[in-house]
Amino acid sequence: MNFSYYPGCTLKTKAKDLDKYAVESAKALGVTLDEIGEWQCCGGVYPVAKDEIATKLSSVRTLVSARDAGKDLVTVCSACHNVIKRVNYDMQHDENVQLKVNNYAQFETPYHGETNVLHYLEMLRDVVGFDKIKEKVTNPLTGRKIGAYYGCLLLRPSKEMAFDDPENPTIMEDFITALGATPVVYAQRNECCGGYVTVEDKSFATKRCNAVMASAAEYGVEELITACPLCMYNLKENSTDHQLPVHYFTELLAEALGVKE
Amino acid sequence: MSENTNLKESILRTSGVNPKKCMKCGKCSGTCPAFDEMEYHPHQFVAMVEKGNIEPLLNSKSLYYCLTCFACVERCPRSVEPAKLVEAVRLEVIRQQNQNHLTANDIPAKLDSEIPQQALVSAFRKYAK
Ligand code: SF4
Ligand code: SF4
């Protein structure tokens, strides 16, 4: 199993663990992730306005690299995934964006959203299979009560992300079960952590994260997992009430597969 | 009035939203995690843009508290997509000259040792052109 891989800026700096454990766990599962050459920052947030073109070009270049390599594209960071997946949706469905991007970029072969974009969790679920992962677990996380923090970006808008049921997702809980741990569903698992508004007003992120942590604690969660460096930051640095430990999901995967040094 | 009509048309064009689809159920505002922080709530953005009453929105801090979490988009029973209107109104402000809400000079005071690059890149995309 061989994929093009887009790590993104934060995975090379503040979120090195998210990247490292993703790559090492993939190896243990027989999956090769080929990092795209000369990738550029996705921009962090999907440009929502209809007339945004230039802000989508870096994502399109990534998508074209994967297409030209003949591989599906795997992302890990929730934000990069949201941006790249939605830009790909535009390249499939929005004629204005298609036309302007292709006219500007002049790729050897024009691009119309041919690349299949998978989040790492989707790769685990749909390509490797959670049953297969279960077989490869050498260090089951038995007895650990883990809450999945989905946040916003993996799930919404569901029409474009097509990741899971946006209100009752199961993919991360199934992932937790495959690792031998006990998933705990709690009310705030798909509500926002405060995101980039922490730059505008840190106290608002604190309020959001306290709500998430309180909800998780109330349902008996003992630790949280996330796929997003910004959720990680907000939950770890901006929560003031309950402070449950927060891990990247890839770290737990590496631990269960026995490849975390 | 004609300036307001242009503004409304511009917002409708950049957002791709049709506020006439709104049935005023309030679900968008009921689910909005920034409700307490916003003086105008998502359903009010929809109604006020539709009426051409846009000036108060342009000057509101609500523009900088929307998380783009898309809860209002996902949960609106009429697919109105209020978050796209909030975005378009904010762009009317920051796309003007010298109206960036965040500048590089603001950053040092906001840094801590753990803040991820993603937060800063995203904030610049949202708050500056
Ligand atoms: S949820 Fe949709 S229909 Fe209901 S008030 Fe908000 S925009 Fe209007
Ligand atoms: S996208 Fe903005 S307006 Fe909509 S629910 Fe989220 S914070 Fe509220």
Side-chain angles (χ1 to χ4, degrees), chain A residues 7-23:
Chain A
C9 307
T10 306
L11 277 75
K12 295 295 176 185
T13 46
K14 277 288 181 294
K16 285 195 175 114
D17 284 355
L18 182 54
D19 173 58
K20 181 176 81 179
Y21 295 127
V23 174

Side-chain angles (χ1 to χ4, degrees), chain A residues 119-161:
Chain A
H119 186 264
Y120 194 96
L121 282 163
E122 293 175 303
M123 185 269 288
L124 295 180
R125 177 189 64 190
D126 303 334
V127 182
V128 180
F130 286 141
D131 49 344
K132 188 82 193 183
I133 292 169
K134 201 171 174 184
E135 285 168 23
K136 298 234 173 164
V137 165
T138 55
N139 174 32
L141 311 180
T142 316
R144 286 166 67 173
K145 294 194 178 106
I146 304 176
Y149 182 63
Y150 288 88
C152 322
L153 297 167
L154 290 172
L155 297 167
R156 296 191 288 265
S158 61
K159 193 174 124 200
E160 294 170 43
M161 299 310 293

Side-chain angles (χ1 to χ4, degrees), chain A residues 158 196 199 201 207 233, chain B residues 37 65 68 74 110 112-113:
Chain A
S158 61
Y196 57 81
V199 176
D201 181 352
K207 189 174 143 190
Y233 168 75
Chain B
E37 284 69 25
Y65 275 89
T68 323
E74 192 69 47
K110 294 179 182 290
D112 61 50
S113 61

Side-chain angles (χ1 to χ4, degrees), chain B residues 21-28 43 46 76-78 80 82:
Chain B
K21 290 200 295 187
C22 174
M23 62 177 182
K24 305 194 190 300
C25 67
K27 194 166 182 185
C28 50
H43 78 283
V46 177
C76 167
R78 302 273 296 160
V80 176

Side-chain angles (χ1 to χ4, degrees), chain B residues 32-33 42 66-72 83:
Chain B
C32 175
C66 170
L67 299 151
T68 323
C69 73
F70 268 56
C72 58

Side-chain angles (χ1 to χ4, degrees), chain B:
Chain B
M1 185 61 206
S2 86
E3 201 179 303
N4 253 358
T5 313
N6 288 343
L7 191 55
K8 178 178 167 183
E9 271 165 21
S10 168
I11 290 166
L12 296 187
R13 197 169 47 242
T14 35
S15 65
V17 167
N18 176 7
K20 287 201 171 74
K21 290 200 295 187
C22 174
M23 62 177 182
K24 305 194 190 300
C25 67
K27 194 166 182 185
C28 50
S29 297
T31 201
C32 175
F35 184 90
D36 291 342
E37 284 69 25
M38 291 171 98
E39 67 183 306
Y40 298 108
H41 302 123
H43 78 283
Q44 289 170 297
F45 271 82
V46 177
M48 289 167 77
V49 169
E50 167 59 10
K51 282 205 191 95
N53 183 18
I54 295 161
E55 204 62 32
L57 299 176
L58 295 174
N59 297 312
S60 173
K61 67 166 191 155
S62 306
L63 294 178
Y64 311 102
Y65 275 89
C66 170
L67 299 151
T68 323
C69 73
F70 268 56
C72 58
V73 172
E74 192 69 47
R75 294 167 190 161
C76 167
R78 302 273 296 160
S79 307
V80 176
E81 308 187 311
K84 295 186 178 179
L85 273 187
V86 179
E87 177 93 4
V89 176
R90 181 167 22 74
L91 290 175
E92 289 294 337
V93 179
I94 63 172
R95 281 180 178 177
Q96 295 170 47
Q97 285 299 318
N98 302 318
Q99 291 299 318
N100 284 338
H101 184 70
L102 180 73
T103 71
N105 294 334
D106 301 327
I107 294 301
K110 294 179 182 290
L111 290 182
D112 61 50
S113 61
E114 296 305 318
I115 197 163
Q117 287 68 18
Q118 177 194 356
L120 303 174
V121 170
S122 303
F124 271 112
R125 271 278 161 94
K126 285 289 174 182
Y127 298 147
K129 71 168 172 184

